[in-house]
Amino acid sequence: MFKRSQKYFLIFFVILAALMQATILYRFRVAGVKPDILLIIVIFSTLYFEGPFCLKTALFAGFIGDVLSGGIFGLNILTFGLCSFVLSLYGQKVYRENIPIQLFICFGSVLAVYCFYYLASRVFLPLGGFIEAFKMVILPTALYSTFIFGPLCVFLKKSLGFLAYENHSY
Amino acid sequence: MIIKRITLIVCALVFIAIIFLPNIVSNKIKNVFLSSFKYSLSASEVSSRNLAGLLEYKHILESNSTLRREVGLLKRRLASFEEIRLENLRLQELFEFKEKVPFDTIASKVIGRDTTNWFNTVIIDKGTKDGIRVGAAVLSCSGLAGRVTEADGGVCRVMLLTDPASRVAAKIQRTRDEALLEGVYKGLCRMKYLPLESKIMAGDKVVTSGNSGIYPEGLLIGEVISISQDASSLYTIALVRPEAALMRLEEVLCLKEVKSTF
């Protein structure tokens, strides 16, 4: 079972990530995009925590993301929630401690979340063509986030006080 | 006995002679001996210093760490002073711009940015309490930055020109061709629906046309960097680089209302 303190720490990291995402992270833009560390934390929580808690974390992260974003309110909650739900459902079928698999899950999740976000936003806002959006936002964000995922995962594991197999129950 | 006395007398005479030697001669002799002692003296001095250093090793270590702390503190202070100096320069620039602009404006700081990569919005630290309303134009010291899309008591969200959802009625300053300016990704804007016969060139300035009713006429937007034709060949498209450094915005001016002199 997970300690309560680990859960509180994860919530703290979600808030910290949202603040970083809205302030200093734009200074580290590569190819015009910044990594989505909020989404990375959601993916991390889904890989390492139990279902109900990781879903709540995803919804909370989505809520903060929506508050600090100029997009349609609720879309981040929906996409993050869906991502966490799908990952917790199908994540059990893959060996999640394998680093390449983790990176693949991260890359795929960011791609899927951003594609879904684009399609949903497109209903309300003029976001340009899909190819343009894919080349300029979706793909660079997925690659950059995947690149950041490994170090951030190690940092989160160490900060939360558990390593791969410790306290881990699927 | 006699030899001894003679020797003593000679020695005494020599000493007396040495004492009463003229300065030039005595100095010469001194210098010859002194220069021969030069290296041994310096070696001795260095070793004595090192010895003293070894003896005061603990004290030196303490003073070294104290000095390091002081250097760190001074470096931090210097960095903060530099930051204040740069802020001062920016504010001075903004103030000078504010004086030139014929509108009632309010200066505010950018306190946050959009969390997603989809939108180019910023959060500023002034709101409806300060007289800012939704739709108000936002300027940087070099040109138009965007408009207020959400306003609360103490904060506002500003949609920048480069946001994909941003639409501005604009015109080319030289040719007077009017068109619609929309944001594209990568910090640029695209001017759509320019007539095919338009004589625009790269480097032309783009200003607001005032047709949208949101932005006053004549505000500088940016510069045309490339021109192409639409896929349907019905109109010309111009890629525009905003004059304001939207990715590095730190302070902005929000328009409150148009002054009567305008």
Side-chain angles (χ1 to χ4, degrees):
Chain A
M1 286 303 289
F2 299 100
K3 290 177 193 165
R4 184 168 283 191
S5 61
Q6 285 178 333
K7 294 181 177 178
Y8 286 139
F9 260 114
L10 193 71
I11 297 295
F12 166 74
F13 280 127
V14 167
I15 296 167
L16 190 71
L19 291 177
M20 281 174 70
Q21 193 91 26
T23 51
I24 57 166
L25 226 58
Y26 82 97
R27 290 174 197 272
F28 300 98
R29 280 177 298 115
V30 173
V33 296
K34 54 193 174 191
D36 200 331
I37 56 171
L38 258 181
L39 187 53
I40 291 176
I41 292 183
V42 168
I43 296 166
F44 172 85
S45 73
T46 313
L47 288 176
Y48 288 94
F49 284 84
E50 289 160 338
F53 176 71
C54 66
L55 190 62
K56 283 178 202 165
T57 309
L59 296 177
F60 179 65
F63 172 75
I64 300 185
D66 271 334
V67 168
L68 294 172
S69 162
I72 308 295
F73 189 77
L75 264 186
N76 271 318
I77 301 176
L78 181 70
T79 51
F80 284 18
L82 270 176
C83 171
S84 175
F85 181 69
V86 173
L87 268 185
S88 58
L89 273 184
Y90 293 100
Q92 291 176 9
K93 294 178 181 171
V94 292
Y95 179 57
R96 292 184 289 190
E97 288 305 328
N98 188 318
I99 291 171
I101 288 179
Q102 281 190 357
L103 294 178
F104 179 74
I105 287 174
C106 177
F107 182 74
S109 303
V110 178
L111 269 188
V113 164
Y114 267 65
C115 285
F116 185 82
Y117 192 97
Y118 170 84
L119 293 172
S121 292
R122 191 80 200 273
V123 178
F124 307 99
L125 296 167
L127 282 181
F130 180 76
I131 303 292
E132 188 186 23
F134 187 82
K135 275 197 295 188
M136 292 188 170
V137 178
I138 300 173
L139 191 61
T141 309
L143 288 171
Y144 197 3
S145 301
T146 308
F147 182 73
I148 295 290
F149 183 76
L152 197 63
C153 253
V154 173
F155 170 75
L156 285 171
K157 276 185 202 175
K158 291 205 169 179
S159 306
L160 294 170
F162 68 92
L163 288 167
Y165 293 100
E166 291 171 10
N167 300 329
H168 197 167
S169 60
Y170 293 114
Chain B
M1 279 298 282
I2 295 167
I3 294 168
K4 266 188 181 177
R5 273 182 191 174
I6 290 167
T7 312
L8 270 173
I9 289 164
V10 169
C11 281
L13 283 172
V14 167
F15 277 120
I16 289 163
I18 288 171
I19 287 164
F20 289 101
L21 269 177
N23 270 349
I24 302 168
V25 181
S26 63
N27 281 348
K28 206 122 193 170
I29 296 165
K30 267 198 274 181
N31 286 343
V32 167
F33 282 99
L34 202 60
S35 55
S36 68
F37 278 114
K38 185 184 168 188
Y39 296 107
S40 51
L41 271 174
S42 57
S44 162
E45 175 62 19
V46 168
S47 54
S48 74
R49 271 186 206 167
N50 286 342
L51 193 67
L54 282 175
L55 291 173
E56 292 179 10
Y57 182 69
K58 201 180 167 189
H59 172 70
I60 287 171
L61 267 185
E62 279 170 11
S63 68
N64 189 29
S65 65
T66 313
L67 286 171
R68 273 176 195 276
R69 271 200 302 275
E70 278 178 15
V71 167
L73 184 76
L74 289 172
K75 272 187 182 170
R76 280 197 296 277
R77 272 192 194 167
L78 196 67
S80 71
F81 286 150
E82 180 62 15
E83 198 63 24
I84 290 166
R85 190 184 70 83
L86 290 174
E87 189 182 11
N88 193 20
L89 281 177
R90 285 198 311 271
L91 288 174
Q92 201 176 344
E93 207 178 342
L94 200 69
F95 181 73
E96 280 165 15
F97 182 70
K98 188 178 175 171
E99 292 297 299
K100 284 183 212 159
V101 174
F103 314 110
D104 271 340
T105 55
I106 181 160
S108 54
K109 271 192 165 185
V110 173
I111 54 167
R113 280 163 195 276
D114 206 295
T115 49
T116 67
N117 284 316
W118 292 111
F119 308 102
N120 276 316
T121 63
V122 293
I123 303 163
I124 57 171
D125 67 345
K126 295 282 188 319
T128 48
K129 279 182 195 166
D130 307 284
I132 298 173
R133 298 280 174 266
V134 171
V138 178
L139 310 171
S140 81
C141 51
S142 43
L144 184 68
R147 69 184 163 90
V148 175
T149 50
E150 293 166 28
D152 195 41
V155 285
C156 276
R157 183 179 295 281
V158 177
M159 181 196 279
L160 300 178
L161 290 174
T162 48
D163 189 288
S166 160
R167 298 288 183 272
V168 181
K171 63 183 172 191
I172 306 288
Q173 199 172 39
R174 187 175 58 85
T175 62
R176 317 307 288 171
D177 290 320
E178 292 189 8
L180 186 74
L181 187 97
E182 62 177 28
V184 287
Y185 305 107
K186 306 267 179 195
L188 295 173
C189 299
R190 186 166 39 206
M191 214 167 169
K192 281 170 86 175
Y193 311 123
L194 278 161
L196 284 173
E197 64 276 12
S198 174
K199 302 264 189 300
I200 62 165
M201 293 186 300
D204 277 344
K205 296 285 178 197
V206 179
V207 294
T208 52
S209 68
N211 289 345
S212 63
I214 296 171
Y215 305 101
E217 192 184 348
L219 290 174
L220 180 63
I221 293 174
E223 192 181 281
V224 174
I225 53 170
S226 71
I227 302 143
S228 60
Q229 259 191 16
D230 174 54
S232 60
S233 298
L234 289 173
Y235 54 87
T236 305
I237 295 172
L239 209 58
V240 177
R241 182 188 294 119
E243 201 68 28
L246 298 177
M247 293 295 170
R248 296 190 300 275
L249 271 187
E250 289 187 54
E251 291 92 15
V252 289
L253 286 178
C254 284
L255 261 59
K256 286 167 86 175
E257 54 188 329
V258 178
K259 277 181 187 169
S260 54
T261 52
F262 185 67

